[in-house]
């Protein structure tokens, strides 16, 4: 009786091993193989997902797993060395940089695309023709008394304001907060919050009184259900389109998207191959998913930075404080 | 059968020398089995231990107090200038969704059970049972998907003010999920009523309606109560349906057309957001999980005790 | 009864009320059937379009048209196998103990009945709580073995060559023909692949160096500068530059791992977000269900079998093993199959343990990251595009078909073994 059970067990174990489609491989003579762990921003996720998918076609032996913990969540894991690549929709912050230094993690900062954070409303929302930065500030600051749309402009209807926003782990949230209320400010707390931008899209498209914000790729992907509000940053209302994001006129919400690579992981052949592939395909694939490609010279710079394994961030100075300036000037 | 037993028995009676050895081996086997049997107690202690420890760590963090947790009504752990940890919006969200589900599963489940037990032809019962088992066996993700893509648009057609994420769809889906539980447990309770009671009632001229509603149901009330309690415990602990369909807005509302965040929905939100941090938000999910566990555990214990009691009465 | 509240009721009125109530009951009972039919109908109508061979053999994709269920399907298979392999023996053994070996002495009996009661209560615990426990106990292992992230440590390759010697070092380059390894003392070596008999991936906990000056250094990370000098990160978090020529002796200590990440039997501690951790967490979820079902099956065996066997001089274990268990096997198998089918559909604990990952591969060993059918459905369902909803519906159809197959198996077993036990 016992013997039969044991043989059944052994057979099923063997069967399972053989049935598993990739089979059992003792990679003694196979080409580069390994696992690349990526996690972080859900804004950057569509690009990384596209790259991982295309990469699989060229190098099926290398497994790439992509998570969506949010930029903050990704950095938390990155700075303890748990993942090889962190997707980020904002540059690394001083506190995260400190943590990395403490854990002896060196990183290589690589931009991959441009994004324009789109402020969207329901497709049937006809009254919002544009929003000034000031109005945005009034709506979103913590303690805001704007509860109905006619609090913003008296001509607008008396309807409740419903907000859908990314969570605090989101780089989009950090970026938006910094632009709208500044580093020391705070955003109001009575919003529907989710790390998953898809959830936000869903929320806004189902509520005529809703307003939300997320990366422009999610807007372009759902253009028939949503309306992006033109933003008046001081020189007239500008809607987020490919052109306005590229030339920077969609201000102040145009921003670069990054990946951060662990320097020690970069020395591994599997990670190195993946990142080189990423940088070579980022222009094309980022446009395909709805973002905007960077100028070619920036990609060149990124490739040389990676090849030379230059570590550190271009956005914090030696004292660990933020540098300000145009992206193209800072990253060189 | 008895001949077989005798053969087996005869073969089992060992010689005197190896009888001692058999006793030792048997003792070992019993110890191993006992270990397996008591493993579940270990699991319970692990649950209580981990949750209480993390909840304690949460409450000892600066800016957090037990009083605020249980007495205030704003839950905004991540946004705003100050973090607020009043748990009532989450509890109320859970309550709202559970209430909607109870309005579906409790009455419908009981009446279906009455139908199956008192009225239905045995062939019909035999056909119903597997269908109910199937309904009970459908994974909750499927119900969540159903709530999001079918129930919500359906509700929106009836009442356009229903939002894309709302408590009603989730509640209805959970109700359908719990219906088989209520039905099968109630039916067991109804079936456990001795035939003598029924036959006496029929003999006195009662119709099936009279017998069912005036004799059988009251007699099995404790079993039905147990069924209700267990179904509610299940509804409170449901995660995937609310994660997909109910939204993530933690506010005090009793309007099922609006989104509502439940305790389980919040826990999922935190664990999907970041899994490595040791900050206040992360710990708060453990505190919420501890509260959730205590709630469901108490209700389940109550339900099991009631069920035990009614079973003893009739056996 | 007819005159119980003083009002006289005509028989016709009462019959009519009886009939009306019957119709009410029947229609409400029909509601559940209607909902079931509606649900399945919706899934079929939305999902059947995508359901083809390609769906089952391709990986997820950003384009709905080419996305597939392969990684989720095989991930589920691995998870359920691990779960069943642990839960089934544990559950059956526990049920046997609780039913057949009730102790005589009072204290033990109290514990015994407490264990039984405990299991009914555990069955009602929300599955996400089990996920949280799984995260602490199986993924992080209470922090006892360090972090689950082996990327913290230097990862080296160690190979055994045909002539019996070993070589180890950091992997610099890898191709079909050769392997290039860098060793702190031996420098950069190129090894022909054909000469390799076996290969391991190891993680270095600590490097230990002794220099010609007598100085001893130790630390977790070692690297090489562009000038060819060694750079050691010491335990005190300092960085020391060393001339390789000064190194007198060198040795390293390893982190516990067995095998290579690509091999079938790769194992490391702590388990991290691996298939093993996920399977063990699922085991926690279904264990109470298995125990309860098996206890029912054992209870259904008539006590005459036990008593007869005991009367003939068999010990308790012998009676259980030879008489009771074989008689209860159909019930036990049915219970186990139903419990396992529950495990297939669980998503919440896996979300907590593994996270929502997009995985483009099938698990190759127990330590791999995993995807699972319910998780992939959850992922697709959360996207706003209609195409992904249809994909989710196709995934649901696959999942339901698997579950129906399991249920059928249980029913068949029930029928097959339905022998009257006199």
């Amino acid at each position: 009786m016992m013997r039969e059970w044991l043989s059944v067990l052994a057979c099923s174990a063997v069967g399972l091993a053989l049935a598993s489609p990739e089979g059992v491989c003792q990679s003694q003579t196979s080409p580069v193989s390994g696992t690349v762990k990526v996690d972080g921003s859900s804004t950057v996720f569509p690009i990384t997902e596209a790259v991982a998918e295309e990469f699989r076609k060229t190098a099926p032996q290398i497994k790439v797993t992509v998570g969506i913990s949010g930029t903050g969540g990704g950095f938390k894991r990155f700075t303890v060395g748990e993942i090889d690549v962190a997707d980020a929709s904002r540059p690394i912050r001083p506190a995260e940089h400190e943590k990395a230094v403490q854990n002896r993690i060196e990183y290589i900062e690589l931009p991959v695309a441009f994004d324009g954070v789109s402020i969207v409303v329901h497709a049937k929302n006809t009254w919002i023709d544009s929003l000034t930065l000031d109005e945005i500030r009034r709506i979103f600051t913590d303690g805001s008394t704007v509860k109905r749309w006619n609090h913003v402009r008296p001509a607008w209807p008396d309807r409740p304001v419903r907000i859908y926003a990314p969570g605090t782990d989101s780089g989009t949230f950090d970026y938006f907060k910094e632009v709208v209320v500044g580093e020391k400010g705070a955003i109001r707390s009575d919003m529907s919050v989710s790390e998953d931008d898809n959830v936000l899209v869903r929320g806004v498209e189902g509520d005529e009184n809703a307003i939300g914000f997320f990366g422009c790729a999610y807007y372009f992907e759902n253009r028939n259900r949503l309306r992006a509000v033109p933003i008046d940053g001081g020189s007239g209302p500008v809607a987020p389109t490919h052109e306005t994001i590229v030339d920077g006129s969609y201000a102040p919400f145009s921003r670069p998207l990054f990946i951060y690579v662990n320097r020690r992981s970069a020395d591994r052949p599997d990670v190195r191959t993946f990142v080189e592939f990423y940088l070579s395909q980022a222009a094309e694939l980022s446009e395909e998913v709805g973002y905007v490609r960077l100028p070619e010279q920036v990609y060149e710079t990124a490739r040389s930075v990676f090849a030379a394994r230059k570590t550190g961030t271009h956005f914090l100075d030696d004292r660990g404080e933020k540098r300000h300036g145009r992206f193209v000037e800072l990253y060189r | 059968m008895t001949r077989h037993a005798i053969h087996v028995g005869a073969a089992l009676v060992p010689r005197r020398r190896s009888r001692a050895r058999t006793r030792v081996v048997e003792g070992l086997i019993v110890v191993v089995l006992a270990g397996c049997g008591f493993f579940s107690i270990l699991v319970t202690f692990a649950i209580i231990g981990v949750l209480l420890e993390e909840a304690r760590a949460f409450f000892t963090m600066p800016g957090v107090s037990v009083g605020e947790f249980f007495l205030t009504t704003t839950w905004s752990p991540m946004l705003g200038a100050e973090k607020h940890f009043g748990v009532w919006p989450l509890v109320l969200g859970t309550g709202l969704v559970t209430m909607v589900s109870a309005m579906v599963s409790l009455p419908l489940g009981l009446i279906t059970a009455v139908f199956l037990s008192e009225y239905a032809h045995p062939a019909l019962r035999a056909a119903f049972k597997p269908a109910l088992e199937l309904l009970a066996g459908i994974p909750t993700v499927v119900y969540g998907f159903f709530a999001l893509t079918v129930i919500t648009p359906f509700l929106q057609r009836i009442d356009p003010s229903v939002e894309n994420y709302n408590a009603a769809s989730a509640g209805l889906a959970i109700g359908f999920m719990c219906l088989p539980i209520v039905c099968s447990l109630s039916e067991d309770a109804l079936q456990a009523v001795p035939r003598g009671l029924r036959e006496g009632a029929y003999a006195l001229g009662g119709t099936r309606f009279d017998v069912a509603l005036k004799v059988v149901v009251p007699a099995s009330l404790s079993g039905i109560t147990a069924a209700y309690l267990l179904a509610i415990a299940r509804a409170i602990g449901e995660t995937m349906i609310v994660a997909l369909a109910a939204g993530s807005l933690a506010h005090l509302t009793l309007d099922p057309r609006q989104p509502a965040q439940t305790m389980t929905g919040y826990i999922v939100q935190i664990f999907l957001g970041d899994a490595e941090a040791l900050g206040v938000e992360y710990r708060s999910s453990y505190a919420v999980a501890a509260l959730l566990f205590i709630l469901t555990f108490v209700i389940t214990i109550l339900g099991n005790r009631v069920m035990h009691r009614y079973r003893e009465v009739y056996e | 009864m007819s005159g119980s509240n003083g009002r006289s009721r005509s028989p016709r009125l009462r019959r009519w009320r009886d009939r009306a109530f019957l119709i009410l009951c029947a229609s409400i009972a029909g509601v559940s059937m209607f909902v079931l039919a509606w649900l399945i109908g919706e899934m079929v109508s939305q999902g059947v379009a995508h359901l083809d061979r390609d769906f089952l053999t391709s990986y997820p994709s950003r384009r709905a048209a080419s996305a597939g269920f392969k990684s989720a399907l095989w991930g589920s298979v691995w998870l359920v196998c691990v779960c069943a392999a642990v839960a089934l023996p544990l559950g059956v053994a526990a049920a046997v103990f609780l039913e057949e070996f009730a102790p005589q002495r009072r204290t033990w009996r109290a514990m015994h009945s407490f264990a039984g009661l405990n299991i009914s209560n555990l069955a009602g615990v929300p599955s996400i709580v089990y996920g949280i426990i799984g995260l602490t106990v199986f993924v992080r292992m209470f922090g006892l073995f360090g972090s689950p992230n082996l990327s913290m440590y230097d990862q080296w390759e160690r190979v055994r060559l045909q002539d019996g010697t070993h070589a180890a070092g950091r992997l610099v380059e890898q191709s079909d023909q050769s392997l290039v390894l860098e060793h702190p003392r031996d420098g950069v070596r190129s090894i022909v692949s054909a000469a390799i008999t076996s290969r391991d991936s190891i993680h270095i906990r600590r490097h230990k160096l002794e220099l010609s000056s007598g100085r001893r250094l130790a630390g977790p990370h070692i690297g090489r500068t562009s000038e060819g000098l060694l750079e050691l990160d010491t335990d005190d978090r300092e960085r020391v530059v060393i001339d390789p020529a000064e190194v007198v002796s060198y040795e390293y200590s390893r982190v516990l791992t067995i095998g290579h990440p690509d091999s079938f039997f790769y194992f490391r501690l702590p388990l991290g977000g691996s298939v093993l951790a996920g399977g063990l967490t699922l085991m926690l979820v279904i264990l109470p269900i298995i125990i309860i079902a098996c206890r029912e099956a054992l209870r259904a065996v008539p006590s005459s079998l036990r008593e007869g066997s005991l009367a003939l001089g068999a010990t308790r274990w012998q009676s259980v093993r030879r008489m009771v268990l074989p008689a209860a096997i159909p019930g036990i198998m049915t219970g186990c199959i139903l419990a396992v089918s529950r495990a297939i559909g669980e998503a919440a604990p896996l979300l907590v343990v593994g996270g929502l990952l997009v995985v483009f591969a099938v698990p190759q060993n127990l330590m791999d990251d995993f995807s699972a059918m319910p998780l992939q459905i959850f992922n697709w369902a959360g996207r706003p595009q209609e195409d992904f909803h249809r994909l989710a519906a196709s995934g649901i159809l696959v999942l339901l078909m698997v579950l129906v197959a399991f249920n059928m198996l249980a029913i068949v077993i029930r029928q097959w073994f339905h022998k009257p036990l006199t």
Side-chain angles (χ1 to χ4, degrees), chain A residues 39-45 48 70-72 74-75 85-92 96 110-112 171-172 255-260:
Chain A
D39 199 349
S41 166
S42 70
T43 307
V44 184
F45 173 76
T48 307
T71 304
F75 273 132
V85 179
D87 288 338
S89 58
R90 56 160 170 81
I92 193 170
E96 290 156 345
L110 303 166
V112 293
T172 310
R255 59 166 179 171
L257 302 174
F258 300 92
I259 57 171
Y260 284 77

Side-chain angles (χ1 to χ4, degrees), chain C residues 75 78-80 82-84 130-131 134-135 138-139 271-285 343 346 349-354 366 368 370 372:
Chain C
W78 276 79
L79 284 170
V80 164
V82 170
C83 168
Y130 284 120
L135 182 69
F138 297 126
V139 173
L271 298 179
S274 58
V275 171
L276 187 58
L280 290 174
T281 309
L282 285 181
M283 177 269 291
L284 289 180
V285 176
E346 280 293 335
L350 296 178
L351 266 182
V352 175
V353 167
L366 287 176
D368 265 347
F370 60 85

Side-chain angles (χ1 to χ4, degrees), chain C residues 32 92 154 159 276 278 321 394:
Chain C
S32 22
V92 174
D154 283 346
V159 298
L276 187 58
R321 195 175 135 222
S394 312

Side-chain angles (χ1 to χ4, degrees), chain A residues 117-122 139-140 149 160-167 172-173 176 187-215 226, chain B residues 79 156 161-166 245-249 251 257-260:
Chain A
V117 175
S118 309
I119 303 192
V120 298
V121 292
H122 192 267
I139 297 175
F140 281 95
W149 284 112
V161 174
R162 278 303 180 72
I163 308 182
Y164 289 84
T172 310
F173 175 83
F176 185 80
I187 303 271
R188 68 195 289 176
S189 52
D190 52 345
M191 314 190 288
S192 276
V193 154
S194 172
E195 300 304 343
D196 187 350
D197 293 314
N198 286 311
V199 171
L200 303 179
V201 169
R202 250 248 167 73
V204 174
E205 77 183 9
D207 184 354
E208 275 186 30
N209 307 317
I211 184 171
F213 62 91
F214 33 76
L226 303 168
Chain B
L79 305 165
Q156 282 174 331
S161 67
V162 170
E163 304 187 31
N164 260 5
Y165 292 116
N166 60 77
S248 56
L249 183 58
H251 59 162
R257 297 170 303 176
Q258 293 183 3

